[in-house]
Structures are given as C-alpha cells and as structure tokens.
Amino acid sequence: MWSNKGRAKPSWSILKCERTVGEADRAAQRHLRYERSTYQEAVKNNVRVKGVLVANPSIPLGTTMDRETLRSLVSFVNDKNIHLVVDEIFSGTVFDSPDFVSVAEIVEDEPGRFNRDLIHVVCSLSKDLGLPGFRVGVIYSFNDAVVRCARRMSSFGLVSTQTQHLLAAMLGDEEFTSMYLAESRQRLAERRRTFEAGLREVGVRSLDSNAGLFCWMDLRHLLEAKTVEEELKLWRIIVHEVKLNISPGASFHCAESGWFRVCFANMDKDTMDTALGRIRAFMARAERHRATNEKKKKWAAAAALRLSLPRNGRRYDDILISPHLAMSPHSPLVRAAT
C-alpha cells in the first residue's frame, strides 16, 4: 500500500508463508487478509491510504491469484475508494494451473459494479518475452487522467523508433507470439521440476508455485536462530563462499526468516547443474557442521551431569550398586551377605 502523509510512503503488507511446503494452498486469500489488516493498521495510525500495489503472479512466491480472490480485492479497494495497481509482469510465465486471470478481466466481466477509474495494470516485455534490454513497459488503465499523465511523462523515457518498429512487427505476429509463449511455459515447467528435484535430493524444500522464473527456497533448518541477522549471515555465506546469487526473504519483507528466492530460468542447463552441485556440496558441509555441533552439545551435557554428581570420592557406579543403600522390598536386587 502507499499512503499520503506529506509525501508518498509505502506501508508494507508483511509476506507470510503459513502453508506447508508442497501442499496446494490458498495463499492469495491469506495475502488479501494481510492487505486488509495493513490498511486497518494504517487508518488506526491516522495515515491516509491512497492505494494498494500487488503483484500477480506473486513476487517472490510465484503463485497466482484466482478469480474470486481478485474480485474480493477489487471490491475491497472499491469500498474504500482507493486505487489498485497490479503488476502483471510475470503473467506470461504461468506454466501450471490455475491459469492466469488479469484484474482487467474482473472489471470487464461485471461492468457497472466497480469504479473502473481506480484500477490500473502495469507490465513489461522483460520477463514474458525475455527482452529486459529493450526497457519497454506498459501502463494499462481505465482512468483517462492516468493515461494522459503517463503519455506526457513518456517523453522522459522514450522508446526508440527502431525498437518500436521491431516490437510492433513481433507482437503483430500472433502465431509466432502464441508459439513462443507456449514453448516458454513448457520449458519453465521442465526447468522448475528439474531444479526442485535437485533441491529435494539434498533435503531442501521449496514452496509450490505455478509461475515465475524463480522458486521460494526453504533454508530455515540451517539457521541457528530464527532472526533476520542469522538469515543475512547465511545469505552472505551462500553469496561469497558458495558463489550463488540468491535473494534473502528479508528483502521481500518476509515475516519468517530462512526463506530465499533463487532464480532458475536465467541460465542454461550446464550452469544449473553447476549451481545444484554447489548447493549439494554446501548442504553436505552444513550437515557435517550440524553433526559436529550435536556431538559438542552431548559432550557438554555429559560434562554437566558429571559435575552435578556427589563429590565424596565414590564412583557413580559404586553408588548405584552399593549394598548399604536402602532398597525397596520389591527390588529385584539381593542384599549381599556379610
């Protein structure tokens, strides 16, 4: 959300991963509840909320909102009379069910129910078509004032005539574009399955997803404490020692430490195999470190036990089997004869 208290200021809706890894879930509905609670908290603090910004598919979860969740979200902003901006930059990367639904479809399905001036969509060719260097984005809005403002501001980020000509020719070829996106989705699904399988082999799980160029990796079990500091400590080790560029959950305002976003689509198969090999070696080293720490804990516990025993010069075993100890009449031990 963004608010207006002197100047624009974001109010983050905390990202929470409450589902069990590997299960189908209703994560989008949970995030909608977080949006509402964040709004209520802002109003409670006398902050005037101007709008809500969401990503669909989600960044970094790689999950999509279903039609009912989007309808609830549009109803929410309509009731509060605040703007809704939906980032659909990964819409063309949905490789598994449920299918992608744009917020524009929700508005078009029920004409007259919602205030269309409050709904805006932003997207880009960087992800779906793999053209980040072209720096071409789109603002799709039902609000004429927003469109006019964007048109006037476009002079500060003009797209060259040559780029416009090339993109117009490519996007105008519907057969090629449809074939390209279908092939991209198939390859993303295969790469996701391969990468997830490699992670599972070394005991690393990830959140189920159906879109995006990344997965949400669970490394909570490697943290010595569930804190942001420990998460960043682990992240630095992975970046500097393992030589893998991943993003810590703290950078996405994740409430639970130990989650990381790792991209799997910006590399070829050989590079992915190398990355999985490094993860495999790192996890083996982490397991050895964990086993060593467990042994140290056991040794420390045994030492503490020895220190807590009576210090009268008698061995612990002697104390247990001493014939002079009072025994229960039901004891299987027999008192030694004198």
Side-chain angles (χ1 to χ4, degrees), residues 205-225:
R205 303 181 300 171
S206 61
L207 221 58
D208 276 346
S209 65
N210 66 316
L213 313 177
F214 41 78
C215 68
W216 195 229
M217 185 169 61
D218 182 7
L219 297 181
R220 289 175 294 175
H221 59 291
L222 297 183
L223 299 185
E224 295 182 5

Side-chain angles (χ1 to χ4, degrees), residues 144-171:
D144 290 338
V146 171
V147 174
R148 280 197 305 272
C149 178
R151 185 180 295 116
R152 291 167 181 171
M153 292 183 65
S154 65
S155 59
F156 297 103
L158 293 174
V159 178
S160 70
T161 303
Q162 294 84 351
T163 301
Q164 292 185 51
H165 178 74
L166 173 62
L167 292 177
M170 183 178 68
L171 297 177

Side-chain angles (χ1 to χ4, degrees), residues 189-199 269 272-273 276:
E190 293 175 355
R191 177 61 62 83
R192 164 78 188 200
R193 285 193 294 268
T194 302
F195 195 79
E196 260 195 335
L199 293 178
K269 185 179 182 304
M272 183 188 69
D273 292 339
L276 287 173

Side-chain angles (χ1 to χ4, degrees), residues 228-292:
V228 174
E229 291 74 16
E230 285 296 317
E231 177 182 279
L232 295 178
K233 177 181 175 181
L234 177 59
W235 170 69
R236 293 187 188 97
I237 292 174
I238 295 175
V239 171
H240 297 297
E241 298 182 19
V242 187
K243 304 298 183 183
L244 291 178
N245 185 17
I246 64 175
S247 302
S251 64
F252 300 100
H253 300 270
C254 185
E256 188 175 16
S257 299
W259 293 90
F260 295 82
R261 190 187 76 166
V262 53
C263 297
F264 56 76
N266 57 343
M267 63 188 82
D268 57 26
K269 185 179 182 304
D270 291 340
T271 305
M272 183 188 69
D273 292 339
T274 300
L276 287 173
R278 293 179 180 179
I279 294 175
R280 192 176 298 112
F282 169 69
M283 291 302 298
R285 190 165 69 248
E287 177 60 26
R288 290 194 297 270
H289 179 70
R290 186 197 65 78
T292 300

Side-chain angles (χ1 to χ4, degrees), residues 297-311:
K297 289 180 181 178
K298 290 181 180 179
W299 293 338
L305 177 61
R306 287 194 297 270
L307 290 173
S308 66
L309 292 176
R311 298 183 179 181

